[in-house]
Amino acid sequence: MQEVDASINTVKGLIKVKWQRKNDDVVLDIQVPFNTEATVTLPVANNNLTTDFPNQSITLPDGDSEWQLGGGKYMIRFKMRKSK
């Protein structure tokens, strides 16, 4: 699969997620309704990603990165970890 685009209307507004593979990278676009928060967890280390917002992610014990995102639009680009 090269691309997924999904959205849902909620009582708080539209939640939208799109990811696509671009060469070795994965680009993730996220839209969170205002006055709402989303937790995003990705299987990637902080040093293997770029964002279009200040990267204030935390690194989880298994090496994943996690963000608490408020309302807005976000882009995260990263390389997937190799499966073991």
Side-chain angles (χ1 to χ4, degrees), residues 4-83:
V4 174
D5 192 348
S7 62
I8 186 169
N9 278 310
T10 72
V11 295
K12 296 281 190 170
L14 182 67
I15 299 171
K16 194 170 185 183
V17 177
K18 178 179 180 180
W19 70 261
Q20 51 190 322
R21 290 184 184 191
K22 291 188 177 182
N23 300 319
D24 292 336
D25 292 346
V26 175
V27 178
L28 179 66
D29 293 301
I30 303 166
Q31 181 177 329
V32 179
F34 290 101
N35 298 317
T36 306
E37 282 190 355
T39 301
V40 177
T41 305
L42 296 174
V44 62
N46 280 331
N47 60 350
N48 287 331
L49 57 84
T50 58
T51 64
D52 67 347
F53 56 94
N55 181 9
Q56 298 175 342
S57 66
I58 61 170
T59 301
L60 302 175
D62 61 2
D64 292 354
S65 296
E66 183 174 279
W67 295 263
Q68 291 294 123
L69 301 177
K73 294 181 180 181
Y74 304 91
M75 185 279 305
I76 303 170
R77 178 185 294 263
F78 62 96
K79 293 188 184 310
M80 290 291 291
R81 278 197 308 235
K82 300 286 184 197
S83 299

